[in-house]
């Protein structure tokens, strides 16, 4: 009798390993019932799996297909465009560029904020590699997606999970001849060799930091440690740099062209350090060389679109200053291509987290993205935008306007003479606008009419610029006046972000006309 | 005023530019317009210009040689744009180009250059929209897409999808301009004009949805986070006029359902 039971157990485990889609609970249930293992009857349909696993993956923010430029080839399917392509926009207004799915939502970890934590009683499923490949290729041919975003819950252990993910990507690249974009999530704790395989198969590799400090991580993710995240992140960063040098490129990733004109950009200072690290790594050859390295079919760069990460905001008590300072460090130290911010959506009932029904901090997330853009494209540093004394962004006006109001002495700037750096710091003027102004200035002077036609946001910029020595209207250079004007502009935008359609308010003599002191 | 009138296709526009240039009637006295002319005026002269490949090629050659291939790329894109003043603006931009050189496109001080840049931006956006939102349907391992753009963007889309799917057989039909691009597997694409009957047959393809289309709709709906729902943002980024043939906004009907309904009707 015992022998039969053992055989059944063995058969059940084997079946589970081969099919990759049956939870341990199901196996136990089958064995307890004393039946033969009905693997087929318990199999979920692909529709059900897609529903479960795309639902489980939707809280991951990164869905970009940018950073990798690769032309199509005969006999292959797909290409990759540097700017990325959004193929649809979901009901929440977020771009759908990649088929964002989990390989499995079974997880041995119990992170408090995560929908897939092991203590949650939810439907579980696991895709087979073939199913993922079929879905990706068929969706791609129909022009629904630009590629695949593959993440996963931790199945048994990080190495096993990462190995299965690599197996899927290898199948997609070699058997299905998929040449489109792939974004793969690195599982914290997976071995360096597996990370190297994943990077060679994918375009972008990312590792979610989720929380910026060890204290928050310890509070919400009992099974994770900051070292498990920082070490692989560093390893990936160095591998990218070494690989780029080996291909005759610079160690650092290519950044937006506007950074070439900015002397004090965050990408300016640390390049030497990264190059030195890469050179040292080349000498010591600390990297593993898995089978992919020698495979002629996979003669690819290592993660050509770089690596990215994601941080949850609103679940713990970090300030905006801590978050953007961490982001700046990540950009500088690990040469990350992007840091994503995810406003925490209360999905789990837990005393350590905001209670269910708490509004998602969308405006805060928006302000953090604005600050992130200011650091990557406008030459700002984190400590210029916020400080220990003022650790949060103003709700009412954007970070660039806020900075400009604190530095009114630098304004107004003359459009026809200002440098790249000065123009980029004017609210309402972005990198595209600056390029247009600079090219137009070569052939004559620029006036306000031209700026309007260049789509410069004069509603913001008018307070900070002059054209040929004149402002658009006679405007008092007063902090209160300009702040009120800009707040009024942003009220509609804030209402849109927060989903509040009522944008009017009762006028208040003391608040709106600054008569508090006189009252 | 002398009006040079031509059809909207690229060859006619270039021929019209050639005629307007060579007849030397004074650029302030002439204007290039598209046919049909809705209302003729009594004291103006109207000259109909018929497309001529040889003359159009002369313009193409002159632009490539005297200006630059990049300049030709830019004007060819604006040539696809749907607006009544396209031919006239192109003519004036070319006049400025031949006078000042290829960098004239940066001289926004000229109002024609500014208008040219506006049109270039709009056509670029429209091409991007359809590069993103064109949806293919599988018919016997061939992929067919139907679109209804505002401008004649099919040549630009053909280049995009040639690079994306070089080893697939596909076809994109433009219902607005009644033309299609057909790409055979591992071959080069060609343009064909569509008849009314062909267009009707093409419309039939959209009536049935296969399994992948159902799966895509499931994915599209599941991937949205309800707590962050923002239809205004969605409409802004995914304009309603581009959704006409988008699978994700269609009601799913499998072949079986359509057959059953047809039987009921019979």
């Amino acid at each position: 009798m015992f022998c039969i039971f053992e055989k059944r157990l063995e058969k059940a485990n084997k079946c589970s390993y081969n099919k990759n889609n049956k939870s341990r609970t199901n196996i136990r249930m089958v064995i307890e019932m004393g039946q033969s293992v009905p693997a087929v009857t318990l199999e979920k349909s692909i529709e059900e799996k897609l529903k479960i696993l795309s639902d489980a993956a939707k809280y991951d923010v990164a869905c970009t297909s940018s950073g990798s430029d690769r032309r199509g080839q005969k006999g292959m399917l797909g290409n990759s465009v540097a700017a990325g392509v959004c193929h649809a926009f979901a009901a929440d207004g977020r771009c759908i560029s990649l088929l964002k799915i989990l390989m499995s939502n079974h997880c041995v970890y119990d992170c408090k904020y995560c929908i897939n934590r092991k203590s949650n009683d939810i439907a579980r499923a696991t895709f087979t590699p073939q199913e993922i490949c079929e879905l990706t290729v068929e969706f791609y041919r129909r022009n629904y997606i630009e590629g695949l975003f593959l993440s996963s819950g931790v199945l048994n252990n990080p190495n096993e999970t990462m190995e299965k993910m690599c197996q899927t990507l290898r199948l997609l690249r070699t058997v299905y001849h998929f040449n489109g974009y792939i974004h793969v999530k690195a599982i914290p704790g997976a071995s360096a060799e597996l990370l190297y395989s994943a990077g060679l198969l994918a375009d972008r590799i990312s590792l979610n930091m989720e929380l910026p400090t060890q204290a928050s991580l310890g509070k919400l993710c009992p099974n994770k440690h900051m070292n498990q995240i920082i070490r692989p992140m560093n390893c990936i960063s160095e591998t990218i740099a070494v690989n780029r040098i080996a291909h005759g490129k610079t160690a650092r990733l290519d950044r937006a062209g506007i950074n070439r004109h900015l002397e004090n950009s965050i990408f300016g200072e640390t390049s030497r350090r990264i190059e030195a690290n890469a050179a040292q790594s080349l000498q010591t050859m600390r990297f593993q060389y898995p089978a992919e390295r020698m495979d002629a079919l996979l003669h690819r760069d290592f993660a050509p679109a770089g690596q990215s990460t994601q941080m949850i905001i609103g679940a713990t008590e970090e300030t905006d200053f801590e978050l953007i300072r961490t982001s700046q460090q990540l950009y500088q130290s690990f040469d990350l291509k992007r840091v994503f911010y995810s406003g925490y959506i209360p999905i789990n009932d837990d005393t350590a987290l905001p209670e269910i029904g708490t509004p998602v901090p969308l405006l805060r997330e928006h302000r953090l993205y604005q600050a992130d853009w200011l650091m990557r494209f406008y030459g700002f540093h984190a400590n210029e935008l916020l400080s220990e004394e003022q650790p949060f962004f103003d709700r009412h006006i954007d970070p660039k306007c806020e900075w400009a109001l604190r530095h009114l002495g630098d304004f107004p700037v003359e459009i026809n003479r200002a440098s790249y750096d000065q123009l980029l710091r004017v609210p309402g003027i972005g990198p595209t606008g600056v390029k247009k102004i600079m090219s137009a200035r070569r052939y004559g002077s620029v006036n306000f009419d031209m700026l309007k036609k260049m789509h410069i946001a004069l509603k913001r910029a008018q307070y900070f610029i002059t054209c040929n020595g004149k402002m658009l209207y006679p405007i008092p250079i007063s902090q209160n006046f300009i702040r009120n004007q800009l707040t009024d502009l942003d009220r509609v935008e804030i209402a849109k972000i927060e989903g509040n359609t009522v944008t009017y308010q009762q006028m208040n003599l003391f608040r709106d006309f600054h008569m508090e002191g006189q009252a | 005023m002398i009006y040079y009138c031509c059809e909207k296709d690229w060859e006619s526009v270039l021929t019209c530019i050639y005629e307007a240039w060579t007849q030397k009637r004074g650029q302030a006295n002439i204007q290039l317009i598209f046919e049909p002319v809705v209302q003729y005026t009594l004291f103006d002269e109207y000259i109909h210009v018929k497309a001529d490949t040889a003359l159009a090629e002369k313009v193409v050659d002159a632009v490539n040689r005297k200006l630059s291939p990049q300049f030709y790329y830019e004007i060819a894109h604006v040539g696809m744009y749907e607006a009544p003043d396209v031919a006239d603006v192109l003519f004036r931009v070319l006049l400025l180009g031949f006078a000042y050189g290829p960098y004239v496109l940066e001289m926004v001080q000229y109002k024609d250059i500014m208008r040219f840049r506006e049109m270039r931006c709009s056509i670029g956006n429209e091409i991007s929209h359809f590069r993103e939102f064109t949806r293919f349907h599988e018919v016997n391992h061939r992929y067919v897409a139907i679109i209804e753009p505002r401008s004649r963007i099919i040549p630009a889309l053909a280049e995009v999808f040639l690079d994306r799917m070089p080893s697939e057989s596909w076809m994109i039909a433009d219902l607005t301009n009644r033309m299609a691009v057909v790409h055979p597997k591992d071959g080069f694409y060609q343009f064909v004009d569509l008849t009314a009957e062909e267009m009707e047959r093409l419309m039939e393809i959209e009536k049935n949805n296969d399994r992948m289309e159902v799966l895509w709709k499931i994915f599209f709906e599941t991937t949205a986070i309800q707590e962050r729902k923002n239809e205004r943002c969605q409409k802004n980024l995914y304009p309603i006029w581009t959704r006409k043939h988008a699978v994700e906004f269609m009601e799913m009907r499998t072949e079986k359902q359509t057959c059953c309904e047809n039987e009921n009707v019979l």
Side-chain angles (χ1 to χ4, degrees), chain A residues 229-450:
Chain A
I229 297 162
I230 296 297
R231 205 176 297 144
M233 213 179 242
N234 189 28
C235 178
I236 294 168
S237 150
E238 286 188 3
T239 315
I240 292 173
V242 168
N243 203 275
R244 283 180 63 84
I245 290 176
H247 284 84
K249 297 175 188 166
T250 55
R252 288 183 71 84
L253 289 173
D254 301 324
R255 296 288 169 177
I258 198 80
N259 281 298
R260 282 198 298 271
H261 303 284
L262 302 175
E263 283 176 16
N264 300 318
S265 129
I266 58 164
F267 302 114
E269 303 156 3
T270 51
S271 59
R272 280 186 199 157
R273 199 186 62 75
I274 284 182
E275 271 154 21
N277 281 357
Q280 198 187 345
S281 304
L282 258 180
Q283 282 169 2
T284 51
M285 297 301 273
R286 277 193 276 150
F287 301 105
Q288 309 285 327
Y289 286 88
E292 278 79 9
R293 195 74 189 87
M294 306 309 291
D295 193 336
L297 277 171
L298 289 165
H299 192 67
R300 304 169 53 82
D301 289 354
F302 180 87
Q307 71 165 322
S308 63
T309 193
Q310 161 179 320
M311 286 193 279
I312 297 174
I313 55 163
T316 46
E317 286 168 2
E318 277 84 24
T319 61
D320 291 349
F321 183 47
E322 281 172 315
L323 287 164
I324 60 165
R325 201 171 48 185
T326 310
S327 302
Q328 185 179 321
Q329 276 168 2
L330 290 173
Y331 286 130
Q332 290 182 323
S333 312
F334 299 137
D335 199 22
L336 252 64
K337 192 76 175 174
R338 286 287 303 270
V339 176
F340 293 94
Y341 307 93
S342 167
Y344 177 69
I345 299 159
I347 33 178
N348 294 332
D349 199 4
D350 201 301
T351 47
L353 290 165
E355 60 187 50
I356 291 175
T358 310
V360 185
L362 294 177
L363 186 61
R364 192 175 168 205
E365 183 191 288
H366 180 62
R367 292 278 179 254
L368 283 166
Y369 273 117
Q370 285 178 323
D372 190 82
W373 249 252
L374 289 180
M375 292 196 291
R376 291 191 297 126
F377 297 100
Y378 295 75
F380 281 89
H381 286 244
N383 54 13
E384 283 182 281
L385 298 168
L386 289 175
S387 59
E388 296 286 356
E389 294 76 41
Q390 194 199 347
F392 288 97
F393 287 113
D394 194 325
R395 257 188 103 254
H396 302 289
I397 53 172
D398 64 78
K400 198 179 179 189
C401 288
E402 207 182 335
W403 178 87
L405 284 175
R406 284 202 304 268
H407 296 82
L408 268 185
D410 299 349
F411 298 104
V413 298
E414 170 55 45
I415 285 288
N416 288 296
R417 281 198 299 275
S419 65
Y420 269 97
D421 206 6
Q422 283 174 313
L423 282 177
L424 271 177
R425 284 174 181 248
V426 176
I429 303 183
T432 317
V434 171
K435 278 184 204 159
K436 284 181 190 168
I437 292 170
M438 285 295 183
S439 65
R441 261 172 28 175
R442 285 188 210 142
Y443 306 101
S445 75
V446 175
N447 57 31
F448 282 105
D449 272 349
M450 283 180 199

Side-chain angles (χ1 to χ4, degrees), chain A residues 46-47 50 72-73 75 78-79 86-87 89 91-92 140-146 365 440 450 496, chain B residues 108-109 131-132 134-136 138 143 163-164 166-168 186 210-211 213 215 225 228 230 232 234:
Chain A
I46 194 158
E47 283 84 356
L50 184 66
Q73 285 174 34
N79 61 356
C86 295
H87 280 275
F89 291 89
D92 51 14
Y140 193 90
R141 284 192 183 123
R142 287 164 170 78
N143 202 35
Y144 299 159
I145 52 165
E146 198 59 14
E365 183 191 288
M450 283 180 199
K496 275 184 202 166
Chain B
V108 286
Q109 286 81 358
R131 160 188 220 148
E132 293 165 358
T134 298
R135 302 284 182 247
F136 286 89
E138 193 197 339
Y143 294 87
D163 192 44
R164 187 180 161 94
S167 294
E168 301 292 337
D186 292 324
D210 67 8
R211 194 183 184 197
E213 289 170 13
L215 283 169
I225 300 175
R228 300 178 63 116
N230 190 344
R232 190 187 284 194
Q234 189 192 24

Side-chain angles (χ1 to χ4, degrees), chain B residues 31-47:
Chain B
Q31 204 174 338
L32 278 66
I33 55 170
F34 286 130
E35 288 172 344
V37 181
V38 182
Q39 185 146 18
Y40 286 90
T41 45
L42 191 58
F43 300 107
D44 296 322
E45 188 185 341
Y46 290 86
I47 301 169

